[in-house]
Amino acid sequence: MKIILLSGGSGKRLFPMSNDIRSKQFLRLLPGSNGTRISMLQRVWSQLEVAHLADSTYICSSDEHAEVIATQIGEARMIEEPTSRDTFPAIALSTLYLHDHEHVSDDEIILVMPVDPYVEASFFVALETLAQQLTQSSADLALIGVRPTSPSEKYGYIVIQPESDQAHFRVERFNEKPTEEVATQLIAKGALWNCGVFGFRTGFLRTWLADHGYPTNYQSMLEMWPTINKISFDYEVVENIASSVIVVPYDGEWNDLGTWDALTSKVTQEMIGHGMLVNSTNTHVINELSVPAIVAGCTNLVVVATEDGILVSDKQQSVRVKELSIPFAHRPMVVERRWGHYRILEHRIFDGTSEMLVQHVHIYPGHALSYHKHVQRREVWTIIQGHGLLATETGIREIAIGSVIHIEPHQWHAIKALDQLEMIEVQQGSQVQEEDIIRRFLTWEEVEHHLIGQEVAATTQSFI
């Protein structure tokens, strides 16, 4: 059995904290051990480890998400999507990767689930039950169906055939996000919530892809990726073969923490960040700014302040955040990377001909930026905390608090933190975009080998 965790989407209902880079599964807001705060990803991964399933698990994500994933849980096995194209392409690509590169047989069962559900330990027992029921049945697909706790309009429903005394049920049909009235009727008939967990044999999906004109090997799928339909696995596959799908009911806790109302129900700290919350009921304040946030005498509110925006909302109204934030979309101001993280402090455009970007950069001890250069901008770095090593074409030198470094366009450079290194970086040029980067070496060891090799060659040449 192999497990694929899907780490896609941005969770924009959690504006202003969540965006295309810092997606909802990476927000460190849930209670961890010893008073720490952890993300949805970290919580699910620790549960997989406890259930002894982590070694069988792969994470499908974009390259940008891969950096954050490595920072939060370490070096997990990754399957990289060239671009995000919804769950059907992601599942097809991952399955073909496992078959072609991990030599998974056509009889191997693959389980697919989102990376961010809020579940208890029994959910991972249900995963193994799902695999067992798929093996014992003649079905092509197996799902986990959650027993509804209320007639929610947020979820899809699995309508089951009226069978009893079985560990699984045959699927009759699907009903996607019905009204509360219809949901009540469906629940009365025994319908279950669809939680986006799929189980199938590798050979089933490969055959399905072949029958529907899709590539059946990993490399061909990569080459066709830009033309693959952006569509969910439910719509493309599951709902079209409903008669060959079974569902295993799950009675434990399952939550999709995709809105502030749902997420704050699991956040134990009512005040996070700099500020004060007084005489308030069922109110949460999350402040990432350096200035204080003071909230007094409020009921059922969520207040979130970041460099990307400020949200003040009644918790029940917070489901509208995604649509309300659309006009204010902009470049993410807070970004987490494998080597550290940075916050954009200011971004200005001058007369449409030049730009300036100021950011506060943190580099973790022992980590380094790649050896790279920019074409359209120059940079000035001012070290404000810690010390490290700077590599340029002229060699490697130490830097410390007060060091000011000028990086010109087309100049190769890299930096390594010897301890916690912080700097203020000012970028100026015709454009200041993430895409303006050309990388030469990804590791510090490669940088040292290259530059020290140049120095040895130069010394040898001076004696000839």
Side-chain angles (χ1 to χ4, degrees):
M1 181 180 79
K2 302 295 183 185
I3 299 173
I4 299 170
L5 294 183
L6 299 180
S7 177
S10 59
K12 292 182 179 178
R13 289 182 177 84
L14 296 179
F15 170 90
M17 284 194 77
S18 186
N19 53 53
D20 290 331
I21 296 178
R22 188 169 66 156
S23 298
K24 70 172 184 177
Q25 60 264 34
F26 305 132
L27 303 181
R28 289 185 171 99
L29 295 175
L30 299 175
S33 59
N34 301 320
T36 61
R37 295 194 303 273
I38 61 174
S39 67
M40 302 176 199
L41 165 67
Q42 289 172 314
R43 188 174 188 273
V44 165
W45 191 257
S46 67
Q47 290 174 314
L48 285 166
E49 289 180 323
V50 170
H52 305 291
L53 294 173
D55 289 343
S56 302
T57 300
Y58 297 75
I59 303 179
C60 179
S61 79
S62 66
D63 180 57
E64 287 182 333
H65 282 188
E67 289 200 23
V68 186
I69 291 167
T71 298
Q72 293 202 353
I73 65 171
E75 296 296 333
R77 284 176 289 190
M78 306 295 301
I79 302 171
E80 184 180 322
E81 294 180 276
T83 56
S84 180
R85 301 195 70 81
D86 216 324
T87 56
F88 165 68
I91 293 172
L93 183 74
S94 299
T95 301
L96 295 178
Y97 174 87
L98 292 177
H99 181 268
D100 293 358
H101 289 269
E102 299 295 309
H103 309 296
V104 166
S105 74
D106 280 346
D107 292 327
E108 184 88 27
I109 288 178
I110 294 178
L111 303 183
V112 182
M113 62 175 283
V115 76
D116 55 5
Y118 190 94
V119 294
E120 54 194 24
S122 60
F123 184 84
F124 299 92
V125 177
L127 282 182
E128 297 187 90
T129 301
L130 185 71
Q132 293 167 3
Q133 292 301 309
L134 182 60
T135 299
Q136 295 169 13
S137 73
S138 59
D140 290 323
L141 272 168
L143 311 178
I144 286 182
V146 177
R147 301 279 188 192
T149 56
S150 64
S152 173
E153 301 178 12
K154 296 189 300 181
Y155 307 126
Y157 287 74
I158 306 169
V159 182
I160 60 176
Q161 294 181 9
E163 301 171 354
S164 60
D165 299 326
Q166 293 194 28
H168 68 260
F169 298 92
R170 291 282 171 177
V171 173
E172 181 178 298
R173 59 186 172 87
F174 298 89
N175 197 313
E176 183 64 19
K177 297 182 180 178
T179 64
E180 184 174 332
E181 180 181 357
V182 173
T184 301
Q185 297 170 0
L186 294 175
I187 292 173
K189 295 179 180 179
L192 306 169
W193 282 339
N194 187 350
C195 64
V197 177
F198 313 104
F200 51 84
R201 297 173 187 84
T202 305
F204 157 74
L205 189 57
R206 293 181 67 241
T207 299
W208 191 96
L209 292 172
D211 291 345
H212 292 78
Y214 289 102
T216 57
N217 66 78
Y218 175 72
Q219 188 58 42
S220 296
M221 180 64 78
L222 281 179
E223 292 169 1
M224 284 189 62
W225 191 258
T227 66
I228 301 294
N229 288 337
K230 287 186 176 182
I231 190 169
S232 72
F233 192 76
D234 292 272
Y235 286 145
E236 182 72 353
V237 181
V238 182
E239 295 187 11
N240 291 314
I241 60 166
S243 61
S244 187
V245 180
I246 62 170
V247 57
V248 174
Y250 172 66
D251 296 303
E253 181 178 14
W254 174 86
N255 282 284
D256 175 10
L257 305 184
T259 67
W260 281 116
D261 186 23
L263 179 55
T264 53
S265 71
K266 303 300 180 183
V267 175
T268 54
Q269 289 180 260
E270 294 182 331
M271 178 77 213
I272 296 176
H274 187 28
M276 185 182 300
L277 175 65
V278 294
N279 299 329
S280 297
T281 304
N282 191 29
T283 294
H284 284 78
V285 180
I286 301 168
N287 181 20
E288 293 191 323
L289 303 177
S290 58
V291 294
I294 300 175
V295 177
C298 294
T299 302
N300 299 328
L301 281 190
V302 56
V303 179
V304 186
T306 77
E307 282 88 348
D308 284 290
I310 296 173
L311 170 71
V312 180
S313 174
D314 176 90
K315 288 188 176 181
Q316 295 299 316
Q317 291 294 313
S318 67
V319 296
R320 300 183 59 206
V321 165
K322 180 178 180 178
E323 62 183 85
L324 295 173
S325 66
I326 290 175
F328 305 102
H330 57 78
R331 176 176 181 162
M333 304 292 278
V334 180
V335 178
E336 189 171 355
R337 295 297 191 198
R338 189 188 305 262
W339 45 261
H341 59 275
Y342 65 84
R343 295 175 180 269
I344 295 177
L345 306 178
E346 186 174 2
H347 181 206
R348 295 178 62 184
I349 300 176
F350 302 99
D351 301 324
T353 59
S354 64
E355 293 184 59
M356 179 195 71
L357 186 75
V358 182
Q359 55 190 24
H360 186 179
V361 181
H362 295 246
I363 305 176
Y364 301 137
H367 287 68
L369 304 185
S370 64
Y371 192 62
H372 64 280
K373 67 179 181 180
H374 309 289
V375 176
Q376 297 175 320
R377 70 174 185 256
R378 60 177 50 85
E379 299 175 344
V380 179
W381 299 347
T382 303
I383 307 302
I384 60 173
Q385 180 65 43
H387 67 291
L389 299 172
L390 172 69
T392 64
E393 295 155 297
T394 59
I396 298 174
R397 65 182 177 91
E398 290 191 13
I399 52 175
I401 296 176
S403 297
V404 178
I405 301 110
H406 293 261
I407 304 295
E408 296 299 323
H410 300 282
Q411 181 180 358
W412 293 103
H413 59 283
I415 187 171
K416 178 180 180 178
L418 298 179
D419 49 28
Q420 183 73 27
L421 187 69
E422 298 182 36
M423 64 183 181
I424 301 299
E425 178 181 280
V426 180
Q427 304 176 4
Q428 284 186 296
S430 57
Q431 289 185 336
V432 288
Q433 298 181 354
E434 287 277 353
E435 295 75 18
D436 178 23
I437 185 169
I438 300 172
R439 291 184 175 89
R440 190 170 182 183
F441 303 117
L442 296 180
T443 68
W444 186 258
E445 289 74 18
E446 291 175 301
V447 175
E448 285 188 324
H449 179 76
H450 171 70
L451 293 176
I452 293 174
Q454 282 189 335
E455 291 175 1
V456 170
T459 303
T460 303
Q461 187 176 15
S462 66
F463 286 95
I464 295 177

